[in-house]
Amino acid sequence: KRAEALRRNATSPWATEDQFTLFRRYLDQRHADGGMADMDIFEFAAMIEETPIKSRVIEYTKPAEGRNRTLAAVCLTDVFDDGLSMVYSFYDPDLASLSLGTYLILDHVAIAREAGLPYVYLGYWVPGSRKMGYKAGFSALEIFKNGAWEQIGDPEQHDADLHPLSVDPIAEQVARISLPDSRS
């Protein structure tokens, strides 16, 4: 309810300067030590625009006087036959009190319902990761583990299936994950 004044606008996957400015502020204040901290505008544009599947950029703006709206949040979203996949989202760190991360997820659930899609995919989850822990707070959450979808249950009961000596970057670990072709 705190964010209900925001306006949603779904656009084609095209990067803008306003999006990149917000993205940089988000990274600098929330994930300055993360793997994307050094991303420049060209890499950002590639992340948004170079997609072989149907993707949308969903912008959330604060209403303002006149024609100017302030960008509050953005989510790169892939559209599948059975649901929406929230590829990456970011928001104005000055608006943290609005719980925008949670708001974006709940709004994507609403979008999926409106479109008759049964699933919203929150993306990769790493057991024990503080930055990804929020995903485990949503009900009806399933994870793909050992070749099958299962209810997450107690998140503390899951271990990362990584070799203890693995030093591969997270992106390479994710790239090797084997996922099902569809949700039968």
Side-chain angles (χ1 to χ4, degrees):
K1 290 198 177 260
R2 288 177 273 174
E4 68 186 353
L6 295 181
R7 297 293 168 251
R8 175 197 325 142
N9 182 38
T11 67
S12 59
W14 191 254
T16 68
E17 287 183 38
D18 286 345
Q19 292 168 0
F20 182 69
T21 299
L22 182 63
F23 175 74
R24 286 295 345 148
R25 286 187 57 232
Y26 175 80
L27 286 181
D28 292 345
Q29 291 189 32
R30 307 247 338 168
H31 300 287
D33 60 343
M36 299 172 84
D38 294 330
M39 187 179 281
D40 65 24
I41 193 163
F42 300 107
E43 293 166 319
F44 175 78
M47 177 179 79
I48 300 291
E49 298 171 10
E50 294 178 13
T51 174
I53 58 177
K54 185 177 180 181
S55 296
R56 295 291 178 262
V57 173
I58 303 178
E59 296 182 334
Y60 297 84
T61 55
K62 295 187 304 185
E65 299 287 330
R67 301 179 92 163
N68 294 333
R69 293 184 178 173
T70 303
L71 193 59
V74 176
C75 186
L76 177 59
T77 305
D78 289 343
V79 181
F80 296 110
D81 291 340
D82 68 345
L84 302 175
S85 178
M86 298 179 70
V87 176
Y88 195 80
S89 58
F90 52 95
Y91 54 85
D92 184 339
D94 294 340
L95 300 176
S97 65
L98 297 181
S99 299
L100 290 177
T102 299
Y103 177 79
L104 296 181
I105 292 170
L106 295 175
D107 191 57
H108 274 67
V109 169
I111 294 168
R113 283 183 178 151
E114 290 168 15
L117 300 172
Y119 301 104
V120 174
Y121 299 97
L122 300 183
Y124 193 58
W125 174 69
V126 178
S129 168
R130 180 185 55 80
K131 292 180 180 179
M132 295 184 189
Y134 70 92
K135 295 176 183 186
F138 290 88
S139 63
L141 188 67
E142 296 179 12
I143 59 173
F144 190 74
K145 186 173 181 180
N146 300 323
W149 288 99
E150 63 181 62
Q151 292 290 321
I152 192 170
D154 179 4
E156 299 294 323
Q157 297 301 311
H158 298 280
D159 292 326
D161 294 329
L162 302 175
H163 187 279
L165 300 178
S166 175
V167 293
D168 292 338
I170 193 78
E172 290 180 25
Q173 295 173 36
V174 172
R176 288 193 299 265
I177 294 174
S178 174
L179 295 175
D181 292 329
S182 66
R183 284 198 62 114
S184 333

